[in-house]
Amino acid sequence: LIPAPAPRPAAPMNSGSRVRARYLASQHGPAGTKWFDATVTKCNRDGTFDLSYDDGDKEQCVKPEFIKSVKAPPAAAPPAAAPPAATVAELLSAYELEREENIRANKAALSRLGLDEAAAACSTKKEAKPRGKKRAAPEARGPVRTSRRLSGELPEEVFVEDEEGR
């Protein structure tokens, strides 16, 4: 029997092609692997591909049977314009509207007094206190207690009587 050739990806892939691939399937087989979005970083001579996955992982020598070509994502749509102010005001609660009005009134009062630069210079964040110097590691000292046996002294004569007084 002649072995069937390995299936090739439907569309030709080049460096930079967007694909979906089974992560680690080339080393461990397809069982238990999942498909993840990736970009081809290199096309190897042996027909395998080096991939860079969207989550930051990289994989080398991925067999083509574990890769699917995907269409490039459509160009990003331009960001939607900000909603009109009336729409934003409708979304805010009565408390938030009152708070915004108070902020505007306070800024106007500071501006009338010529204090808007001073208000901008004030910071509500506390500055980080500098940390103290690190202490040096204590010097290695010898043992505080020593045994008489190790110092060569004779033990003290201690007599302990038992229950019978011997």
Side-chain angles (χ1 to χ4, degrees):
L1 289 174
I2 299 172
R8 302 293 289 172
M13 286 184 280
N14 300 318
S15 184
S17 297
R18 296 288 300 152
V19 296
R20 286 185 60 81
R22 285 185 176 265
Y23 182 66
L24 295 178
S26 293
Q27 289 86 12
H28 305 293
T33 61
K34 295 182 181 178
W35 294 95
F36 293 98
D37 292 328
T39 302
V40 175
T41 56
K42 183 178 175 188
C43 301
N44 300 314
R45 289 184 180 177
D46 62 356
T48 62
F49 299 91
D50 293 354
L51 304 176
S52 176
Y53 290 91
D54 291 356
D55 63 1
D57 286 330
K58 296 182 187 301
E59 188 174 14
Q60 296 178 338
C61 300
V62 179
K63 296 176 184 175
E65 59 261 29
F66 303 122
I67 301 174
K68 295 181 191 176
S69 293
V70 295
K71 294 180 183 177
T87 307
V88 173
E90 291 172 1
L91 298 176
L92 298 177
S93 68
Y95 168 79
E96 291 168 324
L97 290 171
E98 183 181 351
R99 180 177 179 273
E100 291 295 324
E101 183 56 37
N102 287 341
I103 290 172
R104 275 193 290 278
N106 289 339
K107 285 183 180 181
L110 288 173
S111 181
R112 280 193 310 270
L113 296 171
L115 298 174
D116 38 353
E117 293 88 17
C122 292
S123 175
T124 58
K125 291 185 179 180
K126 294 183 180 179
E127 293 183 19
K129 294 181 182 178
R131 294 185 177 193
K133 294 181 183 178
K134 291 190 175 187
R135 296 181 185 179
E139 295 179 20
R141 297 186 298 176
V144 178
R145 298 178 58 181
T146 58
S147 70
R148 290 185 178 185
R149 181 183 58 84
L150 291 176
S151 63
E153 296 179 29
L154 295 174
E156 292 180 16
E157 291 293 328
V158 178
F159 179 74
V160 178
E161 291 184 15
D162 63 1
E163 295 174 1
E164 298 176 4
R166 297 188 256 176

